[in-house]
Amino acid sequence: MKLRADNCIFVFRGFGGRIMKKTGSVRNFTRQIKVGDLRIGGDAPVSVQSMTNVPTGDVDAVIEQVRLLAGKGAEIVRVAVPDMKSARALAGIIERSPVPIVSDIHFDPELALAALESGTHKLRLNPGNIRRRADVAKIAEKAAEKGVPIRIGVNSGSIPGDLREKYGGVNGDSMWAAAERHLEIFREVKFENVVLSLKASSAMLTVEANERAAAECDNPIHLGVTEAGPDLTGSVRSAVAMSILLSRGIGDTLRVSLSGDPIIEPMVGWEILSALGLRRRFPRVVSCPTCARTRMDVAGVAAAVRDLLAGIEGDMTVAVMGCEVNGPGEAREAEIALIGTPSGLRLFVDGKPSGDAVGDDLPGLLLHAVEAYISRNTHRED
Ligand code: SF4
């Protein structure tokens, strides 16, 4: 494994070896690829992805969802391409999409070729169901012609039977072997524009498989836990796996996969990156857990503020605190704070009281305060 970092001294022993003298954050060195205008791997920041769940053939519905996801911070959006109607619809989607589009292909290599013809920015292939060397080589040849990268997306649920038998079931070794088998074909046809993902529904198997991949190759790695579950379960499983991997320097892009409406996927992705200190793009919301002293609807206001702020660019902290016990302390740490006090709700800006907060629309009031703060500070920088 190679390592890189801006502020640290580091050495490496090549793949499989890992030594570092750590004085700053360290990331596994990977080669860089481009998806549309977005870079993945190398010195690019870890990017956040999501996926639509409306029929891909319905271009208007897809575009509406892509715009919503991009508004919440998705920098790349994947669409499923289950049939030729979907493959043909891609051209219209790509023309109107604000972010690069990835085509998710299973079983049928012709769909991959059609997606490339439609101008897809990237392909995702599952080595578990597009296995023939000739098919993979043909797709790679056309992708090379178009300058389009391909993700080899290994899922623990579709590891070929011979590999499961050879390695004693579904584990890090059989998952890596499935990826390696496809990588070998790409290497033979000299196609290097490849991203890898190795996803399992188990967080710790996902960690094991990705650590193996990072030790074996320098392809950029897309992180994700598959079939992670609905919002709470899926967010926790994804955060556990991704935090372990990212804190070990592994991972160049990520998608938090959740059952249902994908709109919170990019929001959870950003929370993970922000909590790890890897990237802060949107305001961070902190709020107290509430107790018998609570003087306001902390949970409701904090959730509404979080939803309103997702997608508003600004590295700052907004605190919502139910009473004066911990409120002033948090207010000092936060750029904007709303605190319940015996004499009413108080708004703090940069740790200083900035008047009473009155009216029913507390989330709206905080949003307004944040926008004014960002605008003031942006103009100051100008
Ligand atoms: S800040 Fe006040 S209301 Fe919130 S948990 Fe602490 S003591 Fe309770």
Side-chain angles (χ1 to χ4, degrees), residues 288-295 321-327:
C288 77
T290 74
C291 70
R293 296 187 187 89
T294 309
R295 302 179 192 278
M321 303 296 290
C323 82
E324 66 281 12
V325 171
N326 288 320

